[in-house]
Amino acid sequence: MTNKESLQRQLLQLDNRGYKAYKDIQGNYDFSEFTLIIDYVQGDPFASPSKFRVRVPPKIAQIPGELFNSRSREIALRDYLTRQFDQAAHSISSKRGTGKSGMIAVTRFGQEVLERTSAFIISSNTSDIEALGGVELRFAVGLPAGGRSILGRQAAEMLCEDIPQIVSKSLKYVNLNAAECRRHVETVEDADWLRQQLAEKGLVAFVANGSILPRRSGVDNSPLLNNAVAFQSPPSLKVDFNCPNRGLISGMSIPAGITLIVGGGYHGKSTLLRAIELGVYNRIPGDGREFVVTNPAAVKIRAEDGRSVAGVDISPFINHLPQGRDTAQFYTENASGSTSQAANIIEALELVASSEEDLVPVLLVDEDTAATNFMIRDRRMQELIAKDKEPITPFIDKVKQLYADCGVSTILVMGGSGDYFDVAGTVIALDNFQAYNVTEKAKEIAKKYSISRASEGGENFGKITQRVPIPASLDPSRGRRDVRVKVRDVDELAFGSEEIDLGAVEQIVDSGQLRAIAAAMVYAKQQYMDGKRTLSEIIDLVMADIDAQGMDILSPFPEGDFAMFRRFELAAAINRLRSLSVVTK
């Protein structure tokens, strides 16, 4: 292994040569306190940046073992160190030439704490709290260029001066804010612990007292600090937990079953649901929603006009379409609001119906993004249009069956129809972002103003039909060896020649998740799609491989870091492929 001085001389010798000569520096370099590993060198200053790693051994990093002696703590610590490295890189590195020259960065961070491929803890014994940990940190570097010529002196400064400063500032425990680091780790551990308690308590979500739920804006997910109302639980829904680190915490419980969130416009209904929706993830300290936790199988359901649907059995909701179209194996490249919402529900149920994991799904629905004709058909409309002329069985007539037959709970924002009072087990009213338990009052109103509408849901929910993907329909390479995969922000994925719109899949929160999902789609096609396995079985196998071997199995050198995703979002991406064909099982 060569050393720092050798790298420095090599870079100076490359000065003014053509940019592709940078390929000569690929390899490992001993920097005394850490090893610099150059895995991939970009061929052009405007291309995707080069891929670097640093490995800081335990004797140098000296991270206390108690900060990573459980999986929850380790993921939190890796997130914290990645953020520290990225912040240090932004403060120390500078623009040095054309294109991406001078850039040192990891990723764009949000409020969520996700397992990533950007950082790993090096330790011989993670269960020993006395052990010290080292770090491997992966990052991107834009090697300096003037036009398409190498700027060797700037590169030598960047790699041999800036990177050592960044490493020292962010990856040596002695230089970190120990209290801040510990708070980061303990906050995530407490949130994970709370989430694990939900099922035992018969709950699907918990919202801690004092939480700040409103965000600054639709494009800024940080907390609204000025004039924000701190959340307080209604006394009748209050529950206490004794967390491992922070101790006693109180807040609002949302029980399994059917819960309505009601209230006037702009009073916080959708804000509360959005916090619950993202409660499947942990958040950084100071987010305001650190202790809003949700059943990990909670899925946001909405109408999605225009999406493609491939062979989904939507017959529990929709039957007898005009022209005799089949709804037991429904195909369309341009779904309506009602058919798309039905498909979104059934696709979620497919995943949990055959999964080996003990998943108790929760559907999250907001009337603002739901199809009206899918949600309700009132008494007057029933009188005007007979059931045998209406293909849609409204959600109101299936929501109780979902819970009774399938164990599926629902949390529903509903400000426009009191008909749901008849089926709800819990009704929470929001008034200026304060929550009130109005269940008894809603039941009294339901009795006082009987709607006398006929139930159209039949005796049971219906069959969940599994689908088997046809392998040839998922060929993004179109016969080529390499598969073109590209992501744009968190809502669009290029998979071969197809552009997949994931803008309506609201629980994808990080571009790293989308990169990992794209790679997982390729991996699933190559490893498990055989024309016999169902989609849910394929996804279970992919998730099991990741759990056992890490996300690196998806791709050794991804275009940016990977962030962990859920099976629901992977399925959503596959299900939106317009080329997808299936057979039912």
Short mmCIF file of all heavy atoms in Angstrom, two decimals, residues 213-243:
data_model
loop_
_atom_site.label_atom_id
_atom_site.label_comp_id
_atom_site.label_asym_id
_atom_site.label_seq_id
_atom_site.Cartn_x
_atom_site.Cartn_y
_atom_site.Cartn_z
N LEU A 213 -45.89 19.18 15.29
CA LEU A 213 -46.25 18.48 14.07
C LEU A 213 -46.16 19.34 12.81
O LEU A 213 -45.77 18.84 11.76
CB LEU A 213 -47.65 17.89 14.19
CG LEU A 213 -47.88 16.95 15.40
CD1 LEU A 213 -49.29 16.36 15.33
CD2 LEU A 213 -46.84 15.85 15.47
N PRO A 214 -46.53 20.64 12.85
CA PRO A 214 -46.49 21.43 11.61
C PRO A 214 -45.07 21.60 11.09
O PRO A 214 -44.11 21.72 11.86
CB PRO A 214 -47.09 22.79 12.03
CG PRO A 214 -47.84 22.51 13.29
CD PRO A 214 -47.10 21.41 13.97
N ARG A 215 -44.95 21.63 9.77
CA ARG A 215 -43.67 21.86 9.09
C ARG A 215 -43.61 23.30 8.58
O ARG A 215 -44.61 23.98 8.46
CB ARG A 215 -43.50 20.91 7.92
CG ARG A 215 -43.59 19.42 8.29
CD ARG A 215 -42.43 18.98 9.16
NE ARG A 215 -42.69 19.03 10.58
CZ ARG A 215 -41.78 18.78 11.52
NH1 ARG A 215 -40.54 18.49 11.19
NH2 ARG A 215 -42.10 18.84 12.80
N ARG A 216 -42.40 23.76 8.27
CA ARG A 216 -42.23 25.15 7.83
C ARG A 216 -42.98 25.43 6.54
O ARG A 216 -43.57 26.50 6.36
CB ARG A 216 -40.75 25.46 7.65
CG ARG A 216 -40.00 25.61 8.96
CD ARG A 216 -38.58 26.09 8.74
NE ARG A 216 -37.85 26.18 10.00
CZ ARG A 216 -36.57 26.51 10.09
NH1 ARG A 216 -35.88 26.76 8.99
NH2 ARG A 216 -35.98 26.56 11.27
N SER A 217 -42.94 24.47 5.60
CA SER A 217 -43.65 24.66 4.34
C SER A 217 -43.76 23.32 3.65
O SER A 217 -43.20 22.31 4.11
CB SER A 217 -42.91 25.66 3.43
OG SER A 217 -41.72 25.08 2.93
N GLY A 218 -44.42 23.31 2.50
CA GLY A 218 -44.54 22.08 1.74
C GLY A 218 -43.24 21.59 1.16
O GLY A 218 -43.13 20.42 0.79
N VAL A 219 -42.24 22.46 1.07
CA VAL A 219 -40.93 22.06 0.53
C VAL A 219 -39.84 22.08 1.58
O VAL A 219 -38.69 21.79 1.29
CB VAL A 219 -40.53 22.97 -0.66
CG1 VAL A 219 -41.49 22.78 -1.82
CG2 VAL A 219 -40.46 24.44 -0.24
N ASP A 220 -40.18 22.42 2.81
CA ASP A 220 -39.21 22.45 3.91
C ASP A 220 -39.78 21.61 5.05
O ASP A 220 -40.73 22.01 5.72
CB ASP A 220 -38.97 23.89 4.37
CG ASP A 220 -37.88 23.99 5.44
OD1 ASP A 220 -37.46 22.94 5.98
OD2 ASP A 220 -37.44 25.12 5.75
N ASN A 221 -39.17 20.44 5.28
CA ASN A 221 -39.72 19.48 6.23
C ASN A 221 -39.22 19.70 7.65
O ASN A 221 -39.50 18.90 8.54
CB ASN A 221 -39.36 18.05 5.78
CG ASN A 221 -40.37 17.03 6.28
OD1 ASN A 221 -41.53 17.34 6.50
ND2 ASN A 221 -39.92 15.81 6.47
N SER A 222 -38.49 20.79 7.89
CA SER A 222 -38.05 21.09 9.25
C SER A 222 -39.23 21.65 10.04
O SER A 222 -40.22 22.12 9.48
CB SER A 222 -36.89 22.08 9.23
OG SER A 222 -37.24 23.25 8.51
N PRO A 223 -39.17 21.61 11.39
CA PRO A 223 -40.33 22.00 12.20
C PRO A 223 -40.65 23.49 12.13
O PRO A 223 -39.76 24.32 12.02
CB PRO A 223 -39.91 21.58 13.62
CG PRO A 223 -38.42 21.56 13.60
CD PRO A 223 -38.04 21.14 12.22
N LEU A 224 -41.93 23.80 12.20
CA LEU A 224 -42.38 25.18 12.33
C LEU A 224 -42.22 25.57 13.79
O LEU A 224 -42.92 25.05 14.66
CB LEU A 224 -43.84 25.29 11.89
CG LEU A 224 -44.49 26.67 12.03
CD1 LEU A 224 -43.85 27.66 11.07
CD2 LEU A 224 -45.99 26.57 11.77
N LEU A 225 -41.32 26.48 14.06
CA LEU A 225 -41.01 26.82 15.45
C LEU A 225 -41.78 28.04 15.95
O LEU A 225 -42.13 28.13 17.12
CB LEU A 225 -39.50 27.06 15.60
CG LEU A 225 -38.62 25.84 15.26
CD1 LEU A 225 -37.14 26.18 15.40
CD2 LEU A 225 -38.97 24.66 16.15
N ASN A 226 -42.05 28.99 15.06
CA ASN A 226 -42.77 30.20 15.47
C ASN A 226 -44.28 29.95 15.48
O ASN A 226 -44.86 29.56 14.48
CB ASN A 226 -42.45 31.35 14.52
CG ASN A 226 -41.00 31.77 14.59
OD1 ASN A 226 -40.36 31.64 15.64
ND2 ASN A 226 -40.46 32.24 13.48
N ASN A 227 -44.88 30.14 16.64
CA ASN A 227 -46.33 30.02 16.82
C ASN A 227 -46.87 28.60 16.64
O ASN A 227 -48.08 28.42 16.48
CB ASN A 227 -47.08 30.97 15.86
CG ASN A 227 -46.68 32.42 16.05
OD1 ASN A 227 -46.55 32.90 17.17
ND2 ASN A 227 -46.48 33.11 14.93
N ALA A 228 -46.00 27.62 16.64
CA ALA A 228 -46.47 26.23 16.53
C ALA A 228 -47.08 25.78 17.85
O ALA A 228 -46.59 26.11 18.93
CB ALA A 228 -45.31 25.31 16.16
N VAL A 229 -48.18 25.03 17.75
CA VAL A 229 -48.87 24.53 18.94
C VAL A 229 -48.33 23.14 19.28
O VAL A 229 -48.35 22.24 18.45
CB VAL A 229 -50.39 24.44 18.69
CG1 VAL A 229 -51.11 23.86 19.90
CG2 VAL A 229 -50.95 25.82 18.34
N ALA A 230 -47.82 22.98 20.48
CA ALA A 230 -47.32 21.68 20.91
C ALA A 230 -48.49 20.73 21.12
O ALA A 230 -49.51 21.09 21.70
CB ALA A 230 -46.52 21.82 22.20
N PHE A 231 -48.33 19.51 20.64
CA PHE A 231 -49.40 18.52 20.70
C PHE A 231 -49.64 18.05 22.13
O PHE A 231 -48.69 17.83 22.89
CB PHE A 231 -49.07 17.32 19.81
CG PHE A 231 -50.18 16.32 19.72
CD1 PHE A 231 -51.17 16.46 18.77
CD2 PHE A 231 -50.25 15.25 20.60
CE1 PHE A 231 -52.20 15.55 18.68
CE2 PHE A 231 -51.28 14.32 20.52
CZ PHE A 231 -52.26 14.48 19.56
N GLN A 232 -50.92 17.87 22.48
CA GLN A 232 -51.30 17.30 23.77
C GLN A 232 -52.40 16.26 23.55
O GLN A 232 -53.35 16.50 22.81
CB GLN A 232 -51.80 18.38 24.74
CG GLN A 232 -50.70 19.30 25.27
CD GLN A 232 -49.70 18.56 26.13
OE1 GLN A 232 -50.06 17.74 26.98
NE2 GLN A 232 -48.42 18.85 25.93
N SER A 233 -52.27 15.14 24.22
CA SER A 233 -53.25 14.07 24.06
C SER A 233 -54.53 14.39 24.81
O SER A 233 -54.50 14.95 25.91
CB SER A 233 -52.67 12.76 24.60
OG SER A 233 -53.66 11.74 24.63
N PRO A 234 -55.68 14.00 24.26
CA PRO A 234 -56.90 14.02 25.06
C PRO A 234 -56.72 13.08 26.26
O PRO A 234 -56.11 12.01 26.11
CB PRO A 234 -57.97 13.48 24.10
CG PRO A 234 -57.39 13.60 22.73
CD PRO A 234 -55.92 13.48 22.90
N PRO A 235 -57.22 13.44 27.42
CA PRO A 235 -57.02 12.59 28.61
C PRO A 235 -57.47 11.15 28.42
O PRO A 235 -56.83 10.21 28.89
CB PRO A 235 -57.86 13.30 29.69
CG PRO A 235 -57.89 14.73 29.25
CD PRO A 235 -57.91 14.70 27.76
N SER A 236 -58.57 10.94 27.70
CA SER A 236 -59.12 9.59 27.55
C SER A 236 -58.29 8.71 26.62
O SER A 236 -58.43 7.48 26.62
CB SER A 236 -60.55 9.67 27.01
OG SER A 236 -60.59 10.39 25.80
N LEU A 237 -57.40 9.31 25.83
CA LEU A 237 -56.54 8.52 24.93
C LEU A 237 -55.08 8.51 25.40
O LEU A 237 -54.22 7.94 24.73
CB LEU A 237 -56.62 9.08 23.50
CG LEU A 237 -57.96 8.93 22.78
CD1 LEU A 237 -57.92 9.63 21.43
CD2 LEU A 237 -58.32 7.45 22.61
N LYS A 238 -54.83 9.13 26.53
CA LYS A 238 -53.45 9.25 27.02
C LYS A 238 -52.92 7.89 27.46
O LYS A 238 -53.60 7.10 28.10
CB LYS A 238 -53.40 10.23 28.20
CG LYS A 238 -52.03 10.42 28.82
CD LYS A 238 -52.10 11.49 29.89
CE LYS A 238 -50.84 11.55 30.74
NZ LYS A 238 -50.71 10.37 31.63
N VAL A 239 -51.66 7.64 27.09
CA VAL A 239 -50.97 6.41 27.50
C VAL A 239 -49.54 6.79 27.88
O VAL A 239 -48.98 7.75 27.36
CB VAL A 239 -50.99 5.37 26.36
CG1 VAL A 239 -50.20 5.85 25.15
CG2 VAL A 239 -50.46 4.03 26.83
N ASP A 240 -48.98 6.05 28.83
CA ASP A 240 -47.62 6.31 29.31
C ASP A 240 -46.70 5.15 28.93
O ASP A 240 -47.10 3.98 28.94
CB ASP A 240 -47.60 6.47 30.83
CG ASP A 240 -48.43 7.65 31.31
OD1 ASP A 240 -48.47 8.66 30.59
OD2 ASP A 240 -49.05 7.53 32.39
N PHE A 241 -45.46 5.49 28.61
CA PHE A 241 -44.42 4.50 28.38
C PHE A 241 -43.18 4.90 29.17
O PHE A 241 -42.94 6.09 29.40
CB PHE A 241 -44.05 4.42 26.89
CG PHE A 241 -45.12 3.85 26.01
CD1 PHE A 241 -45.96 4.69 25.28
CD2 PHE A 241 -45.28 2.48 25.90
CE1 PHE A 241 -46.93 4.17 24.44
CE2 PHE A 241 -46.26 1.95 25.07
CZ PHE A 241 -47.09 2.79 24.35
N ASN A 242 -42.40 3.92 29.54
CA ASN A 242 -41.14 4.17 30.24
C ASN A 242 -39.99 3.77 29.31
O ASN A 242 -39.60 2.61 29.25
CB ASN A 242 -41.08 3.39 31.55
CG ASN A 242 -39.93 3.83 32.43
OD1 ASN A 242 -39.38 4.91 32.25
ND2 ASN A 242 -39.55 3.00 33.38
N CYS A 243 -39.47 4.74 28.57
CA CYS A 243 -38.46 4.48 27.55
C CYS A 243 -37.11 4.11 28.17
O CYS A 243 -36.81 4.53 29.29
CB CYS A 243 -38.28 5.69 26.66
SG CYS A 243 -39.74 6.11 25.69
#
